[in-house]
Amino acid sequence: MVARVEDSPRDPVSPLQEAQHLKPLPTDRLRRVEAWGMTVGGPCYVFRPSTVEGILDAFDAARNAGKTVAIKGGGNSYGDAFLNREAFVLDLSRMRRILEWNPATGVIQVEPGATIADVWQYVLEDGWWPPVVSGTAAVTLGGALAANIHGKNNYRAGPIGEHVRAVWLLTPGGDVLPLSPSQNSELFYAVIGGFGGLGVVVAAEIQLKKVYSGLLDVSAFATGRWVETLDRLDELAQSNDYAVGWVDGFALGAKAGRAILHSANYLKEGDDPHPEESLSVEFQQIPTTVFGIPKTALPRLLRPWVRPLTMRWINSLKYRSGKRQDGHRFRQGLAPFNFLLDSIPNWKHAYRPAGLVQYQVFTPKESSSQLFPSLIAMAHEHGFPPFLAVLKRHRPDPFLLSHAVDGYSLALDFRVHGKRWEKFLSLANEMTELALAAGSRFYLAKDSVLSSDQYERAVGADAVQQYRELKSRLDPEGLLSSELLRRVLLKD
Ligand SMILES: Cc1cc2nc3c(=O)[nH]c(=O)nc-3n(C[C@H](O)[C@H](O)[C@H](O)COP(=O)(O)OP(=O)(O)OC[C@H]3O[C@@H](n4cnc5c(N)ncnc54)[C@H](O)[C@@H]3O)c2cc1C
């Protein structure tokens, strides 16, 4: 049995449901929709339009049935961001065309369901790469913009929203509004990072990054304790295009904070003797077998190992082997470096029959070295050791609901079984209060646990108020909603 977020608000009684003469529900569209982290899911009425007209038809069907509509991209949010149990879900994965591509300028226009994989595989041979990518390439551009994703280069490149030239927003009223930093800018900065509550992004134009090779120059470093780890990551961030850290989530006391850090840089023109080779899709492909075993079989084989004792051993082994490689320099493809997690398809299934919750805090630089060890120690005390801990460096950005701060993020992966959900919630609540006191923010794409009060304290009451005002202007009937939006943003 997997965990259930039972108190996630279902589709509430809304003005939509007060409408007279509701039509019968389209039961032929009932499908189970599940959060990426497998902790929550249930039946939703799923519409998969391929055109803007198809989206409007789904809106009408929802109105007629007195239901709200949640937008879904690739379904890679860990929690309830695209869930809407017993109500409508608009799955945009069929709207994935590349609409325009200019290989001279690197400007691309896409439909919202195009994935990061679709984009990089389309443009790489022309010497371009998405300037900001998440740890999986299965994310759609619509989902990437709604969450305003960050990469391992956030401290330098900012979030994806900073590379958007324009988006076209379909409002629940049926208008298509062009938004950019100079046109309808208030809405631009709210829709990007707005988690699908203000309208549907139906197209986006993005400036890609010029690259002269499909390779990165990568360096690996081992660090011993929290202060050293954070200082070193900061140092690497100042002089490298990418910097990221893996932390041993089982190391406590004197060993707490020991980590393996990686920095990486794009190659300059002329540095790669065979750019035509490394800039090909084939070169970037990740092998589908390991020691002759198809990687698709790995999650099932790994399942018995995803337990505290074995994960402690694996974390320790990883640290010790990383330490032996301290100072090692090598070249790695852009895709394998950025999408390491995609190298094992459906790796999350190794957590079954439990679910996978990621708890990620974004904490100001000055309070991170105090907060992070406390969070990990607290998790251990409550019987939830983090199986994976990842560290990144960030900087603030101008978006209304920004999750970034001038500091670090720590992402902790927990295996949570349904019967321990309440216990986990109480831990998460304690961690959140501590993190809030340290000035932290949170990333809704990963969240499963925040209350609306906690979210408001993190992002600020003014930002929440401004979002709600835009919402009542663009969507007065409250058509667009989701379990996440009702849990953290749209509650009074
Ligand atoms: C393995 C893994 C690694 C990850 N690594 C990172 C990382 O490094 N950095 C990072 O920032 N994130 C990361 N994420 C999180 C992921 O990038 C976000 O959850 C992203 O939003 C998922 O995009 P999606 O297309 O799957 O959208 P979904 O998860 O389906 O939806 C996400 C949100 O976008 C809204 N939405 C989707 N399409 C539209 C649209 N067209 N118009 C308006 N709203 C829309 C939905 O309503 C929902 O609120 C990771 C996720 C996974 C599973």
Side-chain angles (χ1 to χ4, degrees), residues 96 114-122 130 136-139 141 339 342:
R96 66 190 298 171
T115 62
I116 289 179
D118 292 339
V119 171
W120 80 255
Q121 292 180 7
Y122 196 85
T136 170
V139 163
L141 265 297
F339 311 126
D342 288 346

Side-chain angles (χ1 to χ4, degrees), residues 36 70-78 80-83 90 92 112-116 132-136 138-152 169 191 194-203 338 341-342 347 358 360 362 392 403 443-446 481-482 484-485:
W36 188 87
I71 309 167
K72 178 171 180 276
N76 295 288
S77 294
Y78 278 63
D80 49 4
F82 53 83
L83 278 188
L90 189 65
L92 294 175
T115 62
I116 289 179
V132 172
V133 296
S134 45
T136 170
V139 163
T140 66
L141 265 297
L145 297 180
N148 206 8
I149 62 163
H150 59 265
K152 300 173 180 78
L169 185 77
V191 163
F195 284 87
L198 302 175
V200 185
V201 171
V202 289
N338 281 294
L341 294 169
D342 288 346
W347 59 270
Q358 188 171 101
Q360 188 172 23
F362 292 72
K392 289 183 194 145
H403 55 270
Y443 183 30
L444 296 181
K446 303 282 179 76
S481 190
S482 68
L484 170 80
L485 290 173

Side-chain angles (χ1 to χ4, degrees), residues 45-301:
Y45 299 93
V46 180
F47 284 71
R48 290 172 39 78
S50 58
T51 59
V52 168
E53 291 69 34
I55 299 177
L56 292 173
D57 289 346
F59 283 176
D60 282 345
R63 283 190 184 99
N64 288 335
K67 294 287 182 186
T68 60
V69 180
I71 309 167
K72 178 171 180 276
N76 295 288
S77 294
Y78 278 63
D80 49 4
F82 53 83
L83 278 188
N84 209 12
R85 280 172 286 173
E86 289 155 37
F88 282 35
V89 167
L90 189 65
D91 176 337
L92 294 175
S93 56
R94 284 174 73 201
M95 292 180 69
R96 66 190 298 171
R97 283 176 304 162
I98 308 281
L99 299 170
E100 273 182 43
W101 167 234
N102 184 336
T105 61
V107 173
I108 194 163
Q109 219 183 77
V110 294
E111 285 190 325
T115 62
I116 289 179
D118 292 339
V119 171
W120 80 255
Q121 292 180 7
Y122 196 85
V123 301
L124 187 67
E125 288 186 32
D126 293 326
W128 298 89
W129 179 256
V132 172
V133 296
S134 45
T136 170
V139 163
T140 66
L141 265 297
L145 297 180
N148 206 8
I149 62 163
H150 59 265
K152 300 173 180 78
N153 54 357
N154 186 251
Y155 54 86
R156 190 168 271 198
I160 184 107
E162 290 190 19
H163 305 270
V164 173
R165 290 163 51 101
V167 295
W168 286 266
L169 185 77
L170 175 68
T171 67
D175 298 318
V176 176
L177 305 177
L179 315 179
S180 76
S182 56
Q183 191 178 13
N184 294 317
S185 65
E186 186 193 12
L187 207 45
F188 176 83
Y189 287 105
V191 163
I192 295 184
F195 284 87
L198 302 175
V200 185
V201 171
V202 289
E205 188 172 284
I206 297 168
Q207 174 66 61
L208 302 182
K209 162 134 189 84
K210 182 77 193 152
V211 288
Y212 299 99
S213 166
L215 289 163
L216 291 166
D217 269 329
V218 185
S219 302
F221 308 94
T223 53
R225 304 179 72 147
W226 271 111
V227 173
E228 183 197 351
T229 295
L230 294 172
D231 286 352
R232 195 70 203 276
L233 187 65
D234 196 27
E235 231 175 80
L236 292 175
Q238 283 169 33
S239 50
N240 293 278
D241 293 323
Y242 294 90
V244 64
W246 165 87
V247 180
D248 180 351
F250 285 82
L252 299 171
K255 292 179 181 165
R258 64 182 189 178
I260 306 298
L261 309 183
H262 284 97
S263 64
N265 288 296
Y266 296 109
L267 269 61
K268 294 188 193 64
E269 197 169 4
D271 282 356
D272 182 352
H274 302 291
E276 67 294 340
E277 200 179 300
S278 67
L279 289 170
S280 72
V281 172
E282 296 70 38
F283 182 90
Q284 300 290 333
Q285 296 298 1
I286 301 161
T288 53
T289 58
V290 55
F291 302 123
I293 303 170
K295 284 188 175 169
T296 45
L298 284 182
R300 184 181 286 269
L301 295 174

Side-chain angles (χ1 to χ4, degrees), residues 412-428:
L412 303 173
D413 282 11
F414 295 105
R415 182 177 189 271
V416 185
H417 208 284
K419 59 189 181 211
R420 296 184 76 211
W421 182 253
E422 288 304 320
K423 203 165 182 270
F424 180 76
L425 270 189
S426 118
L427 161 67

